[in-house]
Structures are given as structure tokens and as C-alpha cells.
Amino acid sequence: MNTREYIESGVLELYIFGKLSESENEEVQVYANEYPEIKQEIESIEKAIINLSYSVAPNLSLDNFNTIRKALLERESGVVTLKPKSNWPAYMGWAASFLLLLGAGFLYFQMNQNDTLLKDSREKNQDLQKSVVTLEEQNKNNETLLNLFKDENNKVVALAGQTVAPEAKAKIYWNQNDHSVYVDAAGLPEPPKGYVYQVWSLKMDPLTPTSIGLLEKTEIGKSRIFKVDNTMDAEGFGITLEPAGGSAAPTLEQLYTLGKV
Amino acid sequence: MTQEELLAQIYKKDNKAFTLLYDMYAKNLYGIIYNLLKDREEAEDVLQETFVKIWKNLDTYNESKGRFFTWLLNIARNSAIDRLRSKNFNNNQKNLSSDNFVHILDDTTRTMNKIDTIGIQEFVKKLKPKCIQLIDLLFFKGYTQQEVSETLEIPLGTVKTQNRNCINELRNLLRV
């Protein structure tokens, strides 16, 4: 451990200022016990701060010492003399039990309230945890997407709109190393109910389509980018609209987009 | 007296223990409280409250709470901040002319009689204005590093080291 560096970091000043957490305090403690120069430094900083705080105080009033001494020591001694003023202990008994009842009621009420508070903060805590998890997931998705866009091994194939949907378009990211395929479907219209888009890898001569998956469950976050099955040797890609569950062979009248590698 | 020897005395919680505690720290804690409240009467009241809390919780102090002085200082600072936040106090607040500990020095020098204190004050006034602000916020006002960085518009990562440089400057002036 480089004690010089540790001292220069300024953490010991924060330690004296009372700005560290318990675990950070403990860490400083451990180092102080191990390294005399750290202990020495702590004591010097403390000395400076004690001088500083002392110097900015106005004079305390003369009776301050006594006021505080009384507040502490006479409270501590706890000697309280009780003189019975009434000879009706029975009334006292009744009064006491009434107060007890009242007190119990109040405590019960408080307990309930505390319960509610506790429950509220638990719920809040849970919500926060949930949003942390959500953010982490989003972050992971974004990283996946970023890698997708950055990776130079990805061949990008643009799929152009066909007769049924001239405006439609899509993009294929095909990794030449691990052969994974991602489909950017942001340019496809929302599929009608009961239908789903199916992605095909194509061999051109003779034209042989092989299904590499449906665009439904493998979306990355809400990016409209889907992961589909790997393919080794596609020469083109096509996307058709098929009845839910997909088809064994593409319905060519419903060919939405098509592109060559 | 080392911290351990001091604590052994104070833990006895008798008249002597109180006198020792008061003599060693009352004025420091008062300085911190006064710097936040700027009202002598209120500050003495909070000082009493602080001592009551210290006395009551003496047994809970341990090393994981930092130096004994730091533990005391945290109680004092928190009590003063609590008082500052209470509505009651805000309504009563009148003269808030002095906004950091160096202004207080000017206010209080007239009533000071201890020569060594005045000596320290002269040193303190020699600190760079930037250091005065930094120490005032971080130490006296109990700001977090984040809050200091926003208030003084300095990068968060440099608060710690800038503060160290300022305390070094103070130590050079005080020769400690």
C-alpha cells in the first residue's frame, strides 16, 4: 500500500470532517493502526480542525457550564422524592389503569401507523429495485445493439419493399464469424392480428428458402430488432407475412421485403 | 492525553468526566453550532441539547464512528441543522449577515479575550477565499462532496483533493 498516495487523496480530511460511511471509517481505522504515518496525519488534521472550530466560537455565557452540568448530572442521578398528597389510593388506581388503557390504545394506533409506513417504504424499495433491474436490462440490450452496429464482422443486407408493401423495408445484420443473424424490422408495418412475419434465408439457384425464425418473441428490448436463427450460407434474405405460428414454405404473395447478400 | 485515556475518564460519567468533556470540546462544538445558527442564545440551547445526546449515547460510541471528536462534531452539526430546519427557528431568524466562519471572526473578535484564539483567527483569515468557502461548506455546514461541487462549481472528483490542499494551507499557517 502506498501510504503517501492514500494520505494525499484527501480521505483523511473527510474522515475527520465526519463525511465517511461506517465501512469507510473502519477502513481508515485499519490503515491507521497499521501505518504510523497515517495515524500521525490523522492527529495533525484533527488538531488543525479543533483549532479552527475553537477559534470561530464566540464566548460562551458564564452560566452555560452550570446549565449543562445540571441537565446532565442531575438527570442522571434520578433521585426523585415522592410525597403522597392524597389518601385515596383507590382513585389513583383507577386513574392509573385508565391512563394505561389510553396509553395502550395510543401505542396500538402508533404501531399500526408504523406498520403502514414500513409497508410503504418496502413497496417503494421494491419499486426502486424493479426500476434498477429494468434499467440494467435496458442497458444490456443497448450494449447488444451497439455491438451489433459496431461489429465489423457484421454484413448488413438491406431488404427492399415488394409488391404487397412497396414502402416496407428491413435490414439484416449477419455476423460472418459466428453466423448469428439479427433483423431490424422497424421498417415493417405492424402485422395484422393472427399473422406474423417469417424470415427466410435464400439460396438463389435453384431458389430454396429456409425458415430462420419468426419476428415475435426474440425482440431486443423494444428496439424492433430481433434475433433469429443462425445461417451459414445465405445468398439472400426475405420476409413474408404468415399465419400465426409460421409456415413450412413462404407464401410468396405475401413477400414483404427481399434483398441479396 | 490520548483519545483512549480521555475516553476512559469520560466513560465514568461523573462530575469530573463532564468537566473534562466540557473543557475539551464545548467551545469547538459551540463554534460549529454557532456557525450554522448565527444566534448565540439558540446556539447555546443547541449546545445543551448536543451534550444531552452525547451523554446519553456515550456507550454507543465506537471506532467505526470515527474519531471521538468527529463523533461529537457530527452530533453537534446534526442538532444544529435540525434546529435550522425547524419552522420555529426560521421565523425567529433576524440577523443573517455573516455567511461563513471568517465573517464570524470579525463579529466575535471584539468580545474575544484569549490571545491564542486571536492568533489562530489571524491565520484563518489568511486562507485563500476559495479555501474558506470550501471548508465552510464541507466542514462547518456539513455539505456532501456533491453539494459542494455544485455550489462552488468545481468538478466533483477534485473536491477531496482541493479540500486537502486547503487544510494543508491551514496546517502550514498553524504549524500542525
Side-chain angles (χ1 to χ4, degrees):
Chain A
M1 143 121 178
N2 185 340
T3 51
R4 198 67 240 154
E5 217 168 79
Y6 190 68
I7 288 171
E8 290 305 330
S9 76
V11 69
L12 301 180
E13 280 78 4
L14 296 185
Y15 173 68
I16 294 297
F17 284 18
K19 310 250 79 181
L20 298 184
S21 68
E22 285 209 0
S23 61
E24 290 169 317
N25 275 338
E26 275 163 16
E27 189 192 276
V28 173
Q29 226 88 52
V30 169
Y31 289 144
N33 289 335
E34 197 170 339
Y35 303 100
E37 61 268 40
I38 292 184
K39 188 164 187 151
Q40 176 74 41
E41 185 74 10
I42 289 173
E43 280 165 5
S44 298
I45 296 166
E46 185 180 73
K47 209 166 178 186
I49 291 303
I50 285 180
N51 272 303
L52 175 68
S53 54
Y54 188 92
S55 74
V56 303
N59 280 342
L60 280 160
S61 64
L62 286 175
D63 51 0
N64 182 270
F65 173 82
N66 279 322
T67 318
I68 295 182
R69 196 177 59 86
K70 266 188 208 155
L72 300 191
L73 294 171
E74 282 169 26
R75 179 179 301 189
E76 273 295 302
S77 76
V79 184
V80 185
T81 46
L82 281 177
K83 277 185 228 155
K85 280 180 188 165
S86 153
N87 47 1
W88 294 341
Y91 285 131
M92 297 282 285
W94 281 111
S97 45
F98 177 66
L99 283 178
L100 188 69
L101 198 67
L102 209 68
F106 177 69
L107 282 179
Y108 182 67
F109 170 68
Q110 279 236 313
M111 195 180 79
N112 273 345
Q113 254 193 343
N114 287 342
D115 263 350
T116 323
L117 275 179
L118 189 66
K119 222 177 95 198
D120 279 353
S121 40
R122 274 210 194 113
E123 264 164 23
K124 224 174 263 166
N125 195 5
Q126 240 166 26
D127 284 347
L128 284 176
Q129 260 173 1
K130 246 185 248 163
S131 50
V132 168
V133 172
T134 317
L135 283 176
E136 274 172 0
E137 245 162 43
Q138 265 172 20
N139 192 24
K140 212 180 88 205
N141 287 337
N142 289 340
E143 256 170 45
T144 314
L145 293 176
L146 189 63
N147 284 336
L148 192 63
F149 299 140
K150 268 195 340 202
D151 196 340
E152 285 169 359
N153 295 315
N154 277 328
K155 195 172 254 184
V156 183
V157 184
L159 310 187
Q162 303 297 307
T163 334
V164 274
E167 301 294 318
K169 57 181 188 240
K171 237 185 240 167
I172 300 279
Y173 293 87
W174 182 22
N175 192 301
Q176 299 302 297
N177 268 350
D178 62 10
H179 310 294
S180 62
V181 182
Y182 288 84
V183 182
D184 180 354
L188 293 175
E190 195 59 34
K193 229 181 162 193
Y195 287 85
V196 64
Y197 289 112
Q198 190 164 8
V199 188
W200 309 86
S201 76
L202 307 172
K203 292 280 252 181
M204 289 309 175
D205 204 10
L207 182 67
T208 352
T210 314
S211 171
I212 53 171
L214 305 175
L215 301 187
E216 50 178 10
K217 282 177 190 148
T218 54
E219 189 174 1
I220 298 168
K222 291 191 163 72
S223 60
R224 302 298 297 152
I225 294 182
F226 296 77
K227 178 159 180 18
V228 291
D229 298 342
N230 293 4
T231 179
M232 304 274 287
D233 49 5
E235 296 173 289
F237 292 95
I239 298 178
T240 57
L241 189 69
E242 305 288 347
S247 310
T251 314
L252 287 174
E253 302 78 43
Q254 291 296 328
L255 180 62
Y256 268 62
T257 60
L258 184 66
K260 267 172 87 173
V261 174
Chain B
M1 202 185 299
T2 67
Q3 180 170 302
E4 289 72 28
E5 288 162 354
L6 173 72
L7 280 173
Q9 289 285 322
I10 289 177
Y11 279 147
K12 290 185 189 153
K13 283 182 126 181
D14 54 14
N15 212 339
K16 214 169 132 197
F18 169 70
T19 308
L20 191 60
L21 187 68
Y22 187 92
D23 282 351
M24 295 229 21
Y25 296 115
K27 192 137 191 207
N28 302 90
L29 302 181
Y30 187 55
I32 291 157
I33 296 167
Y34 180 78
N35 188 54
L36 280 156
L37 300 181
K38 313 279 158 50
D39 179 313
R40 286 186 180 202
E41 236 172 85
E42 284 277 351
E44 287 201 11
D45 195 43
V46 171
L47 182 65
Q48 177 174 342
E49 202 181 293
T50 303
F51 266 99
V52 170
K53 283 184 201 160
I54 292 169
W55 207 244
K56 227 199 269 169
N57 296 307
L58 259 183
D59 321 332
T60 69
Y61 167 74
N62 61 51
E63 282 206 328
S64 72
K65 293 180 173 142
R67 298 281 294 175
F68 185 59
F69 169 69
T70 302
W71 183 69
L72 302 178
L73 135 76
N74 266 331
I75 296 176
R77 198 163 53 193
N78 290 339
S79 305
I81 291 173
D82 283 349
R83 178 66 61 96
L84 209 53
R85 286 195 186 128
S86 75
K87 268 186 210 141
N88 217 336
F89 182 71
N90 288 334
N91 295 339
N92 291 338
Q93 222 170 358
K94 297 158 228 144
N95 296 324
L96 250 187
S97 56
S98 37
D99 38 275
N100 68 44
F101 61 93
V102 172
H103 291 133
I104 291 178
L105 294 183
D106 295 326
D107 290 350
T108 54
T109 324
R110 274 170 267 122
T111 57
M112 287 290 178
N113 41 21
K114 273 197 178 168
I115 288 157
D116 64 330
T117 312
I118 294 179
I120 300 169
Q121 293 180 352
E122 288 316 308
F123 288 132
V124 168
K125 283 188 204 163
K126 284 189 192 138
L127 283 172
K128 291 191 193 107
K130 189 196 76 185
C131 284
I132 290 172
Q133 280 183 311
L134 190 60
I135 296 173
D136 189 57
L137 296 182
L138 202 58
F139 173 66
F140 283 102
K141 302 229 158 61
Y143 277 36
T144 63
Q145 292 182 67
Q146 176 83 40
E147 289 164 335
V148 169
S149 138
E150 281 160 12
T151 312
L152 301 184
E153 292 176 337
I154 56 179
L156 178 58
T158 69
V159 174
K160 223 163 51 163
T161 46
Q162 287 201 36
N163 177 56
R164 162 140 184 103
N165 293 339
C166 290
I167 297 297
N168 273 345
E169 209 182 297
L170 179 70
R171 283 168 62 186
N172 282 336
L173 295 169
L174 300 176
R175 301 210 171 78
V176 290

